[in-house]
């Protein structure tokens, strides 16, 4: 999952598009913390860019780099690791100089990358320098646009190129781009899996247009709800300098099927996506989960529960409703520390355990001698859930019931959320009772898939949501999946996992968070290389990742 944003000012002499994009990226930071970037286009078609690994505050040096990014239009991106690696060469936006100078940012996954990579090599003769499917999609579009063989393109050329691109690319994606000196382009996959929203504002009589992954970014920039609309499945929009947006259906709408995991976990609660209030959807998840808890636990076990607690932060909205529906007290059992390393990148289980406890601190007085009901948004690998249950017991909890707002996650996510490889998903081969035993809880309760679907779809006030993408729960992905893609994705995720452990392990050691001896195994892996390659053989030689590989 990534965050994308774009803006074009009505005043073509403006030089401050980057300032707006910088603000938008802060509002979308929850969608990606691995890398970020902004590219702008000034008068005369000059492109300026700043991107790299890290969060927005780091990459843009708390805003000090922003004034260097001159232009009246631009795009921004926040990366959450999906298909590809974690090198700085894969920080977006991506750029190709031919044809016409295109900057491109992408949220999602393309699921037939093996075929497309072969096409680009053997037919289009375009070099792909990374493992990123974003670079592949950009080059497919660039190739189709170059087929015009024109020195200057128009709007219809772009729409036709997008139609041909959609005829080749499969998967779930939302993309924004600009062509130097021409204007902005945005489009969404034919299933509507990844979100994309357009908004506008008027400043000094000039209308600025902006597009982002979530409405909260547009609202922050001054767009009103009445001036926002969702880009439809299979739809593209082109906004040329000084003109109004022009929309075109560039691919037949196959379905209107947003990703359910947006509502469960990723989107901010104050966002509205596809006409669905994220907060209301999560409240309905809580209401339906409460009914399931009451039914599965039975009268006696339910009566014995003393308090309900949310695992911060995504589950807080649902937990409040669960407590109300069950007639139980809701208490703050955990305090979250936002200024820590993520636990999944720690080199071993002992360090991950330390990482969880650094991230969450239990309030002993709320647990001591009580039967507690813990509410979380999901259970993925089970490592964090196991440590949370142990923390509850260490704090004095007598009985621990763990409830998940989502159904069991049994399959990989293939549209841009790097949950885990299938073998690492705790529900892939275990029942609820086995999961309870594995994480140390007395009972585990899951939301049913039907209830999750209803919680989301019944809250859409604008669109008819025909389905939801729920492949992580039932293995039935809504788009075609090419042969070998799942294996390809598993390989890429394994590469990223190893690289991230090494990179973040070194950072943790430098910052005194782990000891030197704790990373010996990690360093041994580093010396042997990634996937059997020595470092000098496996390094990315992209022009944009100087200093990426530290000595």
């Amino acid at each position: 999952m990534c965050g994308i944003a774009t803006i074009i000012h009505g005043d073509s002499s403006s030089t401050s598009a980057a300032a707006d994009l910088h603000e938008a990226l802060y509002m979308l930071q929850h969608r990606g913390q691995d890398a970020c970037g902004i590219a702008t286009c000034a008068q005369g078609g000059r492109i300026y860019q700043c991107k790299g690994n890290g969060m927005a505050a780091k990459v843009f040096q708390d805003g000090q780099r922003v004034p260097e990014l001159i232009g009246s239009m631009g795009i921004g991106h926040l990366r959450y690791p999906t298909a590809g690696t974690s090198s700085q060469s894969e920080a977006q936006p991506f750029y190709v100089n031919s044809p016409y100078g295109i900057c491109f940012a992408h949220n999602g996954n393309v699921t037939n990358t093996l075929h497309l990579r072969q096409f680009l090599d053997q037919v289009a003769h375009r070099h792909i320098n990374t493992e990123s499917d974003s670079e592949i999609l950009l080059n497919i579009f660039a190739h189709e646009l170059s087929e015009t063989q024109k020195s200057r393109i128009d709007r219809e050329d772009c729409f036709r190129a997008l139609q041909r691109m959609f005829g080749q690319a499969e998967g779930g994606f939302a993309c924004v781009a600009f062509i130097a000196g021409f204007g902005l382009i945005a489009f969404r996959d034919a299933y509507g899996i990844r979100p994309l929203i357009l908004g506008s504002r008027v400043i000094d009589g000039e209308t600025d247009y902006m597009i982002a992954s979530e409405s909260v970014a547009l609202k922050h920039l001054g767009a009103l709800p009445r001036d926002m609309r969702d880009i439809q499945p299979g739809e593209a929009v082109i906004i040329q300098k000084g003109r109004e947006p022009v929309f075109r259906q560039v691919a037949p709408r196959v379905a209107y099927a947003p990703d359910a995991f947006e509502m469960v976990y990723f989107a901010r609660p104050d966002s509205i996506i596809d006409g669905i209030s994220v907060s209301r959807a999560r409240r309905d998840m809580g209401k339906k989960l409460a009914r399931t808890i009451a039914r599965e636990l039975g009268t006696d076990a339910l009566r014995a529960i003393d308090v309900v607690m949310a695992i911060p932060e995504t589950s807080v909205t649902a937990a409040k409703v669960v407590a109300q529906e069950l007639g139980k007290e809701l208490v703050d059992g955990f305090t979250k520390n936002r200024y820590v390393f993520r636990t999944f990148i720690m080199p071993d289980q002992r360090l991950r355990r330390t990482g969880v406890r650094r991230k969450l601190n239990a309030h002993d007085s709320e647990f001591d001698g009580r039967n507690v009901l813990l509410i979380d948004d999901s259970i993925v690998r089970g490592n964090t859930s196991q440590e949370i249950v142990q923390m509850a017991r260490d704090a004095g909890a007598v009985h621990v019931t763990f409830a998940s707002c989502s159904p069991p996650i049994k399959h990989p996510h293939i549209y841009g959320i790097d949950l885990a490889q299938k073998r690492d998903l705790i529900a892939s081969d275990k029942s609820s009772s086995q999961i309870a035993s594995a994480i140390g809880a007395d009972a585990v309760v899951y939301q049913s898939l039907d209830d999750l679907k209803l919680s989301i779809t019944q809250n859409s006030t604008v669109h008819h949501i025909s389905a939801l993408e729920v492949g992580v729960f039932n293995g039935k992905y809504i788009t075609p999946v090419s042969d070998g893609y799942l294996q390809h994705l598993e390989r890429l995720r394994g590469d990223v996992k190893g690289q991230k452990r090494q990179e973040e392990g070194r950072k943790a050691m430098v910052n005194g968070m782990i000891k030197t001896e704790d990373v010996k195994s990690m360093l041994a892996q580093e010396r042997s290389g990634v996937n059997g390659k020595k470092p000098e053989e496996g390094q990315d030689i992209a022009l944009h990742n100087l200093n990426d590989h530290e000595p």
Side-chain angles (χ1 to χ4, degrees):
M1 187 71 64
C2 299
I4 56 177
T6 184
I7 191 167
I8 183 167
H9 286 171
D11 178 6
S12 60
S13 66
S14 166
T15 60
S16 59
D20 287 325
L21 290 170
H22 185 239
E23 288 293 319
L25 293 185
Y26 274 109
M27 302 305 291
L28 298 173
Q29 187 73 81
H30 60 286
R31 298 185 67 87
Q33 300 86 42
D34 257 34
C36 65
I38 291 175
T40 60
C41 185
Q43 289 184 329
R46 180 70 180 272
I47 294 173
Y48 297 84
Q49 181 174 268
C50 175
K51 64 178 182 176
N53 281 0
M55 297 173 71
K58 174 189 173 184
V59 173
F60 303 114
Q61 297 177 8
D62 293 321
Q64 294 182 52
R65 298 292 306 276
V66 173
E68 303 170 8
L69 304 172
I70 302 168
S72 61
M73 67 176 177
I75 58 178
H77 185 269
L78 295 157
R79 185 181 71 198
Y80 178 93
T82 55
T85 70
S86 60
S87 70
Q88 292 195 54
S89 63
E90 296 198 3
Q92 296 185 41
F94 279 123
Y95 165 75
V96 291
N97 69 338
S98 177
Y100 315 115
I102 306 171
C103 279
F104 185 93
H106 162 240
N107 171 31
N109 268 11
V110 179
T111 58
N112 63 331
T113 53
L114 299 177
H115 166 73
L116 294 179
R117 185 179 290 271
Q118 186 177 39
F119 168 82
L120 289 169
D121 178 36
Q122 299 181 5
V123 179
H125 309 305
R126 299 184 73 93
H127 174 65
I128 301 300
N129 199 49
T130 72
E131 291 286 353
S132 173
D133 55 350
S134 306
E135 188 187 10
I136 290 175
L137 198 59
L138 164 59
N139 276 274
I140 292 291
F141 174 60
H143 168 73
E144 297 299 344
L145 200 57
S146 69
E147 293 294 285
T148 63
Q149 298 293 310
K150 294 167 63 175
S151 60
R152 293 291 184 271
I153 55 169
D154 58 27
R155 188 175 62 214
E156 293 304 314
D157 292 324
C158 292
F159 279 135
R160 284 192 289 268
L162 287 171
Q163 287 174 336
R164 294 192 295 272
M165 185 206 74
F166 267 81
Q168 296 193 68
E170 298 173 355
F173 45 82
C175 304
V176 293
F178 68 71
I179 299 176
F182 176 77
L184 300 181
I185 300 172
F187 54 90
R188 190 179 185 188
D189 67 82
Y191 298 81
I193 297 171
R194 298 267 65 85
L196 199 60
I197 306 163
L198 179 143
S200 63
R201 68 184 183 193
V202 177
I203 297 179
D204 297 330
E206 301 282 0
T207 302
D208 301 336
Y209 294 99
M210 59 201 82
I211 301 171
S213 299
E214 295 186 33
S215 65
V216 65
L218 306 181
K219 181 180 178 181
H220 181 67
L221 295 180
L224 299 175
R226 66 172 180 266
D227 298 321
M228 298 182 196
R229 77 180 287 277
D230 295 285
I231 307 299
Q232 300 296 290
E235 185 179 53
V237 58
I238 294 176
I239 312 173
Q240 292 176 256
K241 295 186 298 181
R243 301 185 187 182
E244 294 185 353
V246 176
F247 300 90
R248 182 74 56 83
Q249 196 73 28
V250 293
R253 178 191 295 192
V254 181
Y256 203 139
D259 188 349
F261 222 73
E262 283 276 358
M263 298 295 163
V264 170
Y265 178 71
F266 254 92
R268 278 179 51 144
D270 47 347
S271 281
I272 297 176
I273 299 174
D274 294 312
I276 302 169
S277 163
V278 178
S279 179
R280 288 183 179 178
R282 289 177 182 166
R283 288 203 298 269
D284 278 355
M285 291 178 205
K287 183 177 292 187
K288 291 175 172 56
L289 180 59
R291 295 171 186 168
T292 301
I293 291 170
R295 183 175 62 253
E296 292 196 7
L297 294 187
T299 304
D300 293 340
L302 187 62
R303 187 183 300 115
I305 292 175
D306 297 307
V307 292
V308 175
M309 298 177 179
I311 309 302
E313 293 173 306
T314 316
S315 65
V316 169
T317 303
K320 290 177 180 178
V321 178
V322 170
Q324 291 171 355
E325 293 290 311
L326 298 180
K328 302 293 181 180
E329 180 184 7
L330 178 72
V331 300
D332 293 328
F334 297 92
T335 295
K336 182 178 180 179
N337 182 352
R338 298 177 178 86
Y339 308 103
V340 295
F341 286 88
R342 287 167 293 173
T343 58
F344 75 89
I345 49 80
M346 293 298 182
D348 61 38
Q349 180 59 35
R350 180 178 63 83
L351 295 174
R352 283 194 289 273
R353 176 179 178 181
T354 302
V356 173
R357 291 183 179 249
R358 188 181 293 116
K359 185 175 182 180
L360 291 176
N361 186 54
H363 302 186
D364 291 4
S365 60
E366 301 294 354
F367 286 93
D368 193 24
R370 284 175 154 177
N371 298 330
V372 300
L373 171 59
L374 305 181
I375 309 295
D376 207 350
D377 52 70
S378 58
I379 304 173
V380 183
R381 297 172 177 84
N383 295 334
T384 299
S385 302
Q386 180 183 28
E387 192 55 37
I388 287 171
V389 171
Q390 187 59 51
M391 290 169 67
R393 296 204 185 277
D394 291 346
V398 175
H399 189 280
V400 180
T401 301
F402 201 103
S404 167
C405 294
S406 74
I409 298 172
K410 300 182 177 183
H411 304 274
H413 195 286
I414 66 171
Y415 302 113
I417 303 178
D418 188 17
L419 293 177
Q421 297 168 281
K422 182 172 182 177
R423 64 176 178 268
D424 295 329
L425 298 170
I426 193 170
S428 65
D429 60 354
K430 290 181 175 64
S431 65
S432 294
S433 60
Q434 290 172 325
I435 292 170
S437 177
I439 68 173
D442 295 287
V444 165
V445 179
Y446 280 103
Q447 184 89 267
S448 75
L449 183 54
D450 287 342
D451 281 348
L452 175 66
K453 290 179 180 179
L454 189 59
S455 297
I456 297 170
T457 56
Q458 71 183 11
N459 278 287
S460 180
T461 59
V462 179
H463 310 297
H464 174 65
I465 305 298
S466 60
L468 289 172
E469 165 45 42
V470 291
V472 290
F473 307 120
N474 61 12
K476 299 176 181 178
Y477 301 108
I478 200 161
T479 71
V481 180
S482 62
D483 292 342
Y485 178 72
L486 290 177
Q487 292 81 359
H488 171 68
L489 197 60
E490 293 267 305
R491 180 184 64 80
L492 288 182
R493 285 173 172 169
D495 291 353
V496 172
K497 186 176 180 181
Q499 292 169 14
K500 290 299 291 182
R501 284 184 178 178
Q502 294 178 45
E503 175 187 344
E504 298 298 342
R506 288 196 299 270
K507 290 180 182 178
M509 184 174 63
V510 169
N511 285 279
M513 300 177 70
I514 58 177
K515 299 177 182 179
T516 304
E517 54 266 27
D518 290 328
V519 292
K520 285 184 177 179
S521 60
M522 177 191 69
L523 293 176
Q525 178 185 1
E526 184 177 8
R527 284 192 295 270
S528 65
V530 179
N531 290 335
K533 294 182 180 180
K534 295 180 180 179
E536 61 271 17
E537 297 172 339
Q539 286 184 5
D540 192 334
I541 58 170
L543 298 177
H544 301 289
N545 71 331
L546 299 178
N547 302 320
D548 188 27
H549 295 273
E550 300 173 1

Coordinates of all heavy atoms in Angstrom, one line a residue, residues 336-389:
K336 N 0.5 3.5 23.2 CA 1.3 3.3 22.1 C 2.4 4.3 22.0 O 2.2 5.5 22.1 CB 0.5 3.3 20.8 CG 1.3 3.0 19.5 CD 0.4 3.0 18.3 CE 1.2 2.7 17.0 NZ 0.4 2.7 15.8
N337 N 3.6 3.8 21.8 CA 4.8 4.7 21.5 C 5.0 4.8 20.0 O 5.3 3.8 19.4 CB 6.0 4.2 22.3 CG 7.2 5.1 22.1 OD1 7.2 6.0 21.3 ND2 8.3 4.8 22.8
R338 N 4.8 5.9 19.4 CA 4.9 6.1 18.0 C 6.4 6.2 17.5 O 6.6 6.2 16.3 CB 4.1 7.3 17.5 CG 2.6 7.2 17.8 CD 1.9 8.4 17.4 NE 0.5 8.3 17.6 CZ -0.1 8.6 18.7 NH1 0.6 9.1 19.7 NH2 -1.4 8.5 18.9
Y339 N 7.3 6.3 18.4 CA 8.7 6.7 18.0 C 9.6 5.5 18.1 O 10.6 5.6 18.8 CB 9.2 7.9 18.8 CG 8.2 9.0 18.7 CD1 7.3 9.3 19.8 CD2 8.0 9.8 17.6 CE1 6.4 10.3 19.8 CE2 7.1 10.8 17.6 CZ 6.3 11.1 18.7 OH 5.4 12.1 18.6
V340 N 9.2 4.4 17.5 CA 10.1 3.2 17.6 C 10.2 2.5 16.3 O 9.4 2.8 15.3 CB 9.5 2.1 18.6 CG1 9.4 2.7 20.0 CG2 8.0 1.7 18.2
F341 N 11.1 1.6 16.2 CA 11.3 0.7 15.0 C 10.1 -0.3 14.9 O 9.6 -0.7 15.9 CB 12.6 0.0 15.0 CG 13.8 0.8 14.7 CD1 14.4 1.5 15.8 CD2 14.3 1.0 13.4 CE1 15.6 2.3 15.5 CE2 15.4 1.8 13.2 CZ 16.0 2.4 14.2
R342 N 9.7 -0.6 13.7 CA 8.7 -1.6 13.5 C 9.3 -3.0 13.9 O 10.4 -3.3 13.6 CB 8.2 -1.6 12.1 CG 7.3 -0.4 11.7 CD 7.1 -0.3 10.3 NE 8.4 0.0 9.6 CZ 8.5 0.1 8.3 NH1 7.5 -0.2 7.5 NH2 9.7 0.4 7.7
T343 N 8.4 -3.8 14.5 CA 8.9 -5.1 15.1 C 9.3 -6.1 14.0 O 10.1 -6.9 14.3 CB 7.9 -5.6 16.0 OG1 6.7 -5.9 15.3 CG2 7.6 -4.7 17.2
F344 N 8.6 -6.1 12.9 CA 8.8 -7.2 11.9 C 10.2 -7.2 11.3 O 10.7 -8.2 10.8 CB 7.8 -7.2 10.8 CG 8.0 -6.2 9.8 CD1 8.8 -6.4 8.7 CD2 7.4 -5.0 9.9 CE1 8.9 -5.5 7.7 CE2 7.5 -4.0 8.9 CZ 8.3 -4.3 7.8
I345 N 11.0 -6.1 11.4 CA 12.3 -6.0 10.8 C 13.4 -6.4 11.8 O 14.5 -6.4 11.4 CB 12.6 -4.6 10.2 CG1 12.2 -3.5 11.2 CG2 11.8 -4.4 9.0 CD1 13.3 -3.2 12.3
M346 N 13.1 -6.7 13.1 CA 14.1 -7.1 14.0 C 14.7 -8.5 13.6 O 13.9 -9.3 13.2 CB 13.5 -7.1 15.4 CG 13.2 -5.8 16.0 SD 14.6 -4.7 16.0 CE 13.8 -3.2 16.8
P347 N 16.0 -8.7 13.8 CA 16.6 -9.9 13.3 C 16.1 -11.2 13.9 O 16.2 -12.3 13.3 CB 18.1 -9.7 13.7 CG 18.2 -8.2 13.8 CD 16.9 -7.7 14.4
D348 N 15.6 -11.2 15.2 CA 15.2 -12.5 15.7 C 14.0 -12.3 16.6 O 13.6 -11.2 16.9 CB 16.3 -13.3 16.4 CG 16.9 -12.5 17.6 OD1 16.1 -11.8 18.3 OD2 18.1 -12.6 17.8
Q349 N 13.4 -13.4 17.1 CA 12.2 -13.4 17.8 C 12.3 -12.6 19.2 O 11.4 -11.9 19.6 CB 11.6 -14.8 18.1 CG 10.3 -14.8 18.9 CD 9.2 -14.1 18.2 OE1 9.1 -14.1 17.0 NE2 8.3 -13.5 19.0
R350 N 13.5 -12.8 19.8 CA 13.7 -12.1 21.1 C 13.7 -10.6 20.9 O 13.1 -9.9 21.7 CB 15.0 -12.6 21.7 CG 15.3 -11.9 23.1 CD 16.6 -12.4 23.7 NE 17.7 -12.1 22.8 CZ 18.4 -10.9 22.9 NH1 17.9 -10.0 23.7 NH2 19.4 -10.7 22.1
L351 N 14.3 -10.2 19.9 CA 14.3 -8.7 19.6 C 13.0 -8.2 19.2 O 12.6 -7.1 19.5 CB 15.4 -8.4 18.6 CG 16.8 -8.7 19.0 CD1 17.8 -8.5 17.9 CD2 17.2 -7.8 20.2
R352 N 12.2 -9.0 18.4 CA 10.9 -8.6 18.0 C 10.0 -8.5 19.3 O 9.2 -7.6 19.4 CB 10.3 -9.6 17.0 CG 10.8 -9.4 15.6 CD 10.0 -10.2 14.6 NE 10.1 -11.6 14.7 CZ 11.1 -12.3 14.1 NH1 11.9 -11.7 13.4 NH2 11.1 -13.6 14.3
R353 N 10.2 -9.4 20.2 CA 9.4 -9.3 21.5 C 9.7 -8.0 22.2 O 8.8 -7.3 22.7 CB 9.8 -10.5 22.4 CG 9.1 -10.4 23.7 CD 9.4 -11.6 24.6 NE 8.8 -11.5 25.9 CZ 8.9 -12.4 26.8 NH1 9.6 -13.5 26.6 NH2 8.3 -12.3 28.0
T354 N 11.0 -7.6 22.3 CA 11.4 -6.4 22.9 C 10.8 -5.2 22.1 O 10.3 -4.2 22.7 CB 12.9 -6.2 22.9 OG1 13.5 -7.3 23.6 CG2 13.4 -4.9 23.5
G355 N 10.7 -5.3 20.8 CA 10.2 -4.3 20.0 C 8.7 -4.0 20.2 O 8.2 -2.9 20.3
V356 N 7.9 -5.1 20.4 CA 6.5 -5.0 20.7 C 6.3 -4.3 22.0 O 5.5 -3.4 22.2 CB 5.8 -6.4 20.7 CG1 4.4 -6.2 21.2 CG2 5.8 -7.0 19.3
R357 N 7.1 -4.6 23.0 CA 7.0 -4.0 24.3 C 7.4 -2.6 24.3 O 7.0 -1.8 25.2 CB 7.7 -4.9 25.4 CG 7.0 -6.2 25.6 CD 7.7 -7.0 26.7 NE 7.0 -8.3 26.9 CZ 6.3 -8.6 28.0 NH1 6.2 -7.7 29.0 NH2 5.7 -9.7 28.1
R358 N 8.3 -2.2 23.4 CA 8.7 -0.9 23.3 C 7.6 0.0 22.6 O 7.4 1.1 22.9 CB 10.0 -0.7 22.5 CG 10.6 0.7 22.5 CD 11.9 0.7 21.6 NE 13.0 -0.1 22.3 CZ 13.5 -1.2 21.7 NH1 13.0 -1.6 20.6 NH2 14.4 -1.8 22.3
K359 N 6.9 -0.7 21.7 CA 5.8 0.0 21.0 C 4.6 0.1 21.8 O 3.9 1.1 21.7 CB 5.5 -0.8 19.7 CG 4.5 -0.1 18.8 CD 4.4 -1.0 17.5 CE 3.5 -0.3 16.5 NZ 3.3 -1.1 15.3
L360 N 4.3 -0.9 22.6 CA 3.0 -0.9 23.5 C 3.4 -1.1 24.9 O 4.2 -1.9 25.2 CB 2.1 -2.0 23.0 CG 1.4 -1.8 21.7 CD1 0.5 -3.1 21.4 CD2 0.5 -0.6 21.6
N361 N 2.8 -0.3 25.8 CA 3.0 -0.5 27.2 C 1.7 -0.7 27.9 O 0.7 0.0 27.7 CB 3.7 0.8 27.8 CG 4.0 0.6 29.3 OD1 4.7 -0.3 29.6 ND2 3.5 1.5 30.2
A362 N 1.6 -1.8 28.7 CA 0.4 -2.2 29.3 C 0.2 -1.4 30.6 O 1.1 -1.1 31.4 CB 0.4 -3.7 29.6
H363 N -1.1 -1.0 30.9 CA -1.4 -0.4 32.1 C -1.8 -1.4 33.2 O -2.9 -2.0 33.2 CB -2.7 0.6 31.9 CG -2.5 1.6 30.9 ND1 -3.4 2.6 30.7 CD2 -1.5 1.9 30.0 CE1 -3.0 3.4 29.7 NE2 -1.8 3.0 29.3
D364 N -0.9 -1.8 34.0 CA -1.0 -2.9 35.0 C -2.3 -2.8 35.8 O -3.0 -3.8 36.0 CB 0.2 -3.0 35.9 CG 1.4 -3.4 35.2 OD1 1.4 -3.5 33.9 OD2 2.5 -3.6 35.9
S365 N -2.7 -1.6 36.2 CA -3.9 -1.4 37.1 C -5.2 -1.8 36.4 O -6.1 -2.2 37.0 CB -3.9 0.0 37.6 OG -4.1 0.9 36.5
E366 N -5.2 -1.7 35.0 CA -6.4 -2.1 34.3 C -6.5 -3.6 34.0 O -7.6 -4.1 33.8 CB -6.4 -1.3 33.0 CG -6.4 0.2 33.1 CD -7.6 0.8 33.7 OE1 -8.6 0.0 34.0 OE2 -7.6 2.0 34.0
F367 N -5.4 -4.3 34.2 CA -5.4 -5.7 33.9 C -5.5 -6.6 35.2 O -6.1 -7.7 35.1 CB -4.2 -6.1 33.1 CG -4.1 -5.7 31.7 CD1 -3.5 -4.5 31.3 CD2 -4.7 -6.5 30.7 CE1 -3.5 -4.1 30.0 CE2 -4.6 -6.1 29.4 CZ -4.0 -4.9 29.0
D368 N -5.0 -6.1 36.2 CA -4.8 -6.9 37.4 C -6.1 -7.5 37.9 O -7.0 -6.8 38.3 CB -4.2 -6.0 38.5 CG -3.7 -6.9 39.7 OD1 -3.4 -8.1 39.5 OD2 -3.6 -6.4 40.8
G369 N -6.1 -8.9 37.9 CA -7.3 -9.6 38.4 C -8.5 -9.6 37.6 O -9.6 -10.0 38.0
R370 N -8.4 -9.2 36.3 CA -9.6 -9.0 35.5 C -9.6 -10.0 34.3 O -8.5 -10.5 33.8 CB -9.6 -7.6 34.9 CG -10.1 -6.5 35.9 CD -10.0 -5.2 35.3 NE -10.9 -4.2 35.9 CZ -11.0 -3.0 35.6 NH1 -10.2 -2.4 34.7 NH2 -11.9 -2.2 36.2
N371 N -10.8 -10.3 33.8 CA -11.0 -11.0 32.6 C -11.1 -9.9 31.4 O -12.0 -9.1 31.5 CB -12.2 -11.9 32.6 CG -12.1 -12.9 33.7 OD1 -11.0 -13.4 34.0 ND2 -13.3 -13.3 34.3
V372 N -10.2 -10.0 30.5 CA -10.2 -8.9 29.5 C -10.6 -9.4 28.1 O -10.3 -10.6 27.7 CB -8.8 -8.2 29.5 CG1 -8.5 -7.6 30.8 CG2 -7.7 -9.2 29.0
L373 N -11.2 -8.5 27.3 CA -11.5 -8.8 25.9 C -10.7 -7.8 25.1 O -10.9 -6.6 25.2 CB -13.0 -8.6 25.6 CG -13.5 -8.6 24.2 CD1 -13.1 -9.9 23.5 CD2 -15.0 -8.4 24.1
L374 N -9.7 -8.3 24.4 CA -8.9 -7.4 23.5 C -9.4 -7.4 22.1 O -9.7 -8.4 21.5 CB -7.4 -8.0 23.5 CG -6.7 -8.2 24.9 CD1 -5.3 -8.7 24.7 CD2 -6.8 -6.9 25.7
I375 N -9.5 -6.2 21.6 CA -10.0 -6.0 20.2 C -8.8 -5.5 19.3 O -8.2 -4.4 19.6 CB -11.1 -5.0 20.1 CG1 -12.2 -5.4 21.1 CG2 -11.7 -4.9 18.7 CD1 -12.9 -6.7 20.9
D376 N -8.5 -6.2 18.2 CA -7.5 -5.7 17.3 C -8.1 -5.7 15.9 O -9.1 -6.4 15.6 CB -6.3 -6.6 17.3 CG -5.0 -5.8 16.9 OD1 -5.1 -4.7 16.4 OD2 -3.9 -6.4 17.1
D377 N -7.5 -5.0 15.0 CA -8.0 -4.9 13.6 C -7.8 -6.2 12.9 O -8.7 -6.6 12.0 CB -7.4 -3.8 12.8 CG -5.8 -3.8 12.9 OD1 -5.3 -4.7 12.2 OD2 -5.2 -2.9 13.5
S378 N -6.8 -7.0 13.2 CA -6.5 -8.2 12.5 C -5.4 -9.0 13.2 O -4.8 -8.5 14.1 CB -6.0 -7.9 11.0 OG -4.9 -7.1 11.1
I379 N -5.3 -10.2 12.8 CA -4.2 -11.1 13.3 C -3.5 -11.6 12.0 O -4.1 -12.3 11.2 CB -4.7 -12.3 14.1 CG1 -5.5 -11.8 15.3 CG2 -3.5 -13.1 14.6 CD1 -6.2 -13.0 16.0
V380 N -2.2 -11.2 11.8 CA -1.5 -11.5 10.6 C -0.6 -12.7 10.8 O -0.9 -13.9 10.6 CB -0.8 -10.3 10.0 CG1 -0.1 -10.7 8.7 CG2 -1.7 -9.1 9.8
R381 N 0.6 -12.4 11.3 CA 1.5 -13.5 11.6 C 1.3 -14.2 13.0 O 1.6 -15.3 13.2 CB 3.0 -13.0 11.6 CG 3.4 -12.5 10.2 CD 4.8 -11.8 10.3 NE 5.3 -11.4 9.1 CZ 5.0 -10.2 8.5 NH1 4.2 -9.4 9.1 NH2 5.6 -9.9 7.3
G382 N 0.8 -13.4 13.9 CA 0.5 -13.9 15.2 C 1.6 -13.5 16.2 O 1.3 -13.6 17.4
N383 N 2.8 -13.1 15.8 CA 3.8 -12.7 16.7 C 3.5 -11.6 17.6 O 3.7 -11.6 18.8 CB 5.1 -12.4 15.9 CG 5.7 -13.5 15.1 OD1 5.5 -14.7 15.5 ND2 6.4 -13.2 14.1
T384 N 2.9 -10.5 17.0 CA 2.5 -9.3 17.8 C 1.4 -9.7 18.8 O 1.4 -9.3 19.9 CB 2.2 -8.2 16.9 OG1 3.3 -7.8 16.1 CG2 1.8 -7.0 17.7
S385 N 0.4 -10.4 18.2 CA -0.7 -10.8 19.1 C -0.3 -11.7 20.3 O -0.8 -11.5 21.4 CB -1.7 -11.6 18.2 OG -2.2 -10.8 17.1
Q386 N 0.6 -12.6 20.0 CA 1.1 -13.4 21.1 C 1.8 -12.6 22.2 O 1.6 -12.8 23.4 CB 2.2 -14.4 20.5 CG 2.8 -15.3 21.5 CD 3.8 -16.3 20.9 OE1 4.5 -15.9 20.0 NE2 4.0 -17.4 21.5
E387 N 2.6 -11.6 21.8 CA 3.3 -10.8 22.8 C 2.3 -9.9 23.5 O 2.4 -9.6 24.7 CB 4.3 -9.9 22.1 CG 5.3 -9.2 23.1 CD 6.0 -10.2 24.0 OE1 6.3 -11.4 23.6 OE2 6.1 -9.9 25.2
I388 N 1.3 -9.4 22.8 CA 0.2 -8.6 23.5 C -0.5 -9.4 24.6 O -0.8 -8.9 25.7 CB -0.7 -8.0 22.4 CG1 -0.1 -6.9 21.6 CG2 -2.0 -7.5 23.1 CD1 -0.8 -6.4 20.4
V389 N -0.8 -10.6 24.2 CA -1.5 -11.5 25.2 C -0.6 -11.7 26.4 O -1.0 -11.7 27.6 CB -1.9 -12.8 24.5 CG1 -2.4 -13.8 25.6 CG2 -3.0 -12.6 23.5

